Amino acid sequence: MKKIYFFALSVLLLVMTSAQANRQLAVRNGCMACHADTEYDAPPWPELAAKYAQYQGQPDAARIQGEKLRKGKLFNNIKAHRKLTTNNASELMQWIIDGAQ
Ligand code: HEC
């Protein structure tokens, strides 16, 4: 019984730390300046999460959407979007697809 609790706890911690890690990535890349602050026109995280939830379960979606974001043309050429590396962009898109918690 104890083993099961321990296992459940480790899974929970793992999920929590990885969610935290991606939020940190968003913080480090300056995404919060616009998407977490209502003064700006950028859609807030819950809105983006709702929009991108359609990509859940599609293995390539985060990479494809991340590239779209990075290439900038679609979304007004925002510098913070264009500065992202391929890996960071797809990691952040995955975070958004998973609900941006
Ligand atoms: C300078 C302000 C600003 C910063 C910083 C910023 N964004 Fe944005 N972002 C916007 C605006 C404004 C839009 C909406 C553009 C539009 O709808 O044409 C947008 C759109 C988006 C979209 C797409 C929305 C859609 O319509 O599909 C995503 C995803 C996104 N941002 C993620 C991020 C991430 C991840 C970061 C951090 C690297 C970030 N943004 C940093 C302003 C910003």
Side-chain angles (χ1 to χ4, degrees):
M1 210 48 180
K2 257 188 188 156
K3 254 187 190 157
I4 292 172
Y5 280 134
F6 183 70
F7 178 71
L9 191 68
S10 337
V11 170
L12 191 71
L13 279 176
L14 197 69
V15 168
M16 275 163 48
T17 43
S18 64
Q20 199 57 37
N22 287 342
R23 181 164 276 275
Q24 284 307 313
L25 194 63
V27 171
R28 278 204 306 275
N29 284 284
C31 315
M32 296 305 175
C34 299
H35 291 281
D37 193 322
T38 45
E39 268 179 56
Y40 289 88
D41 223 11
W45 299 123
E47 200 179 306
L48 290 181
K51 178 172 176 181
Y52 284 89
Q54 60 179 307
Y55 297 111
Q56 270 168 23
Q58 296 179 26
D60 278 348
R63 192 180 47 77
I64 294 166
Q65 298 306 315
E67 280 308 284
K68 272 196 197 165
L69 186 68
R70 229 163 58 81
K71 295 285 158 56
K73 286 185 208 101
L74 268 176
F75 308 114
N76 298 336
N77 271 324
I78 290 160
K79 209 191 280 166
H81 296 170
R82 281 185 294 143
K83 271 195 323 200
L84 289 170
T85 62
T86 308
N87 279 348
N88 280 354
S90 69
E91 211 170 304
L92 285 164
M93 285 314 297
Q94 192 60 59
W95 172 65
I96 293 169
I97 290 169
D98 290 339
Q101 293 302 309

